[in-house]
Amino acid sequence: MSIAQLDNSYEFPHPTNALTEPNGLLAFGGDLSAERLRVAYHEGIFPWYSPNEPPLWWSPDPRAVLIPGELYTGRTLRRFIRKHIYQITVNYAFDEVIYHCAQRQEGTWIGLDVQRGYQTLHKESLAHSVEVWHDRQLVGGLYGVCIGTLFCGESMFSRMENASKCAFIAFYHHFLRHGGRLFDCQVLNHHTESLGAKNIPREEFLQYLYQLREQPLLSGCWSAQMLDV
């Protein structure tokens, strides 16, 4: 089966047309303009590709998610959090967070075109960051895209112990307090699985998406602010 090549219309094939091998590859080409990214996330599709390749667009089956109430924090991590080593913020330093995510070995796909695309989404209040600070230095964080009451996590980084986990846990509670309903983790890995994420069928994820993408969060969720740890 061949995959679709995108044109200038911003239209994507339906996610169920994605390949099974490689799992979830749906289309290639196009650009990372804010409009194309907005349409992609609205349909449960995200970009991921290596430098010097055309953009590749994915909708894997199964899909990794974290359902509210299923966050897992072990005893050691809870003890660490109670030390209050870090200060955690929302939308204080989006550009710096995505830059540091790109410096990770696993983040080498986050080239300048990717960074510019998500920076534009951030200016349009669709992409957001969570920052972890220690002695006024940025030591961890994450960024992603919010579609209604669904948050699609993109990448995270950590330069000190448990920094990215602390970022996510603080953000998890903040997001739920403002009406958030689901966290999209895209593809399950050891880090997200350790926090309680699990795989669900793509069809089930799309049902969540179609329900949640039009639901508004409570006001104030994305204003720049400190979070409780």
Side-chain angles (χ1 to χ4, degrees):
M1 182 184 296
S2 60
I3 62 171
Q5 181 174 5
L6 301 183
D7 54 26
N8 295 324
S9 67
Y10 299 143
E11 293 184 3
F12 286 89
H14 192 273
T16 54
N17 291 325
L19 300 180
T20 55
E21 183 59 41
N23 179 21
L25 181 58
L26 179 66
F28 73 97
D31 56 25
L32 268 75
S33 65
E35 180 62 26
R36 192 181 299 276
L37 287 169
R38 186 184 303 109
V39 171
Y41 281 95
H42 198 258
E43 299 300 329
I45 300 162
F46 60 88
W48 184 84
Y49 60 100
S50 299
N52 303 318
E53 289 182 348
L56 302 177
W57 302 88
W58 304 79
S59 181
D61 185 18
R63 187 80 167 227
V65 300
L66 178 63
I67 296 173
E70 297 188 4
L71 175 70
Y72 175 77
T73 54
R75 181 182 302 175
T76 300
L77 181 57
R78 292 197 300 271
R79 187 182 304 118
F80 182 89
I81 292 171
R82 286 196 294 269
K83 295 179 181 178
H84 297 290
I85 293 173
Y86 300 134
Q87 297 77 48
I88 301 178
T89 58
V90 168
N91 283 338
Y92 266 53
F94 184 90
D95 291 357
E96 290 84 351
V97 168
I98 195 170
Y99 170 80
H100 285 294
C101 287
Q103 305 311 303
R104 299 169 56 237
Q105 183 177 358
E106 300 87 346
T108 52
W109 70 278
I110 309 174
L112 291 177
D113 55 341
V114 175
Q115 294 180 50
R116 285 191 291 265
Y118 286 96
Q119 286 165 349
T120 302
L121 280 188
H122 175 63
K123 292 175 183 176
E124 297 181 0
S125 298
L126 290 174
H128 306 281
S129 60
V130 180
E131 303 87 16
V132 182
W133 308 88
H134 180 71
D135 291 339
R136 300 186 178 181
Q137 299 296 312
L138 184 65
V139 297
L142 62 90
Y143 76 95
V145 177
C146 190
I147 303 295
T149 53
L150 167 66
F151 184 80
C152 308
E154 275 299 318
S155 187
M156 56 178 58
F157 80 98
S158 185
R159 298 172 64 186
M160 289 185 65
E161 182 181 6
N162 290 325
S164 61
K165 287 186 177 181
C166 288
F168 182 79
I169 291 167
F171 171 66
Y172 168 91
H173 295 292
H174 173 76
F175 190 60
L176 296 189
R177 283 195 297 269
H178 286 82
R181 298 284 300 280
L182 188 69
F183 299 87
D184 171 25
C185 303
Q186 298 180 348
V187 178
L188 195 65
N189 58 40
H190 175 74
H191 189 75
T192 54
E193 188 174 25
S194 71
L195 291 169
K198 66 181 182 181
N199 280 326
I200 63 172
R202 177 173 56 212
E203 181 179 356
E204 184 178 347
F205 170 76
L206 292 175
Q207 290 173 354
Y208 275 120
L209 171 68
Y210 299 153
Q211 175 187 4
L212 302 179
R213 66 187 181 184
E214 305 300 337
Q215 297 181 2
L217 290 169
L218 299 178
S219 63
C221 183
W222 301 123
S223 58
Q225 58 194 285
M226 298 283 295
L227 297 186
D228 296 329
V229 183

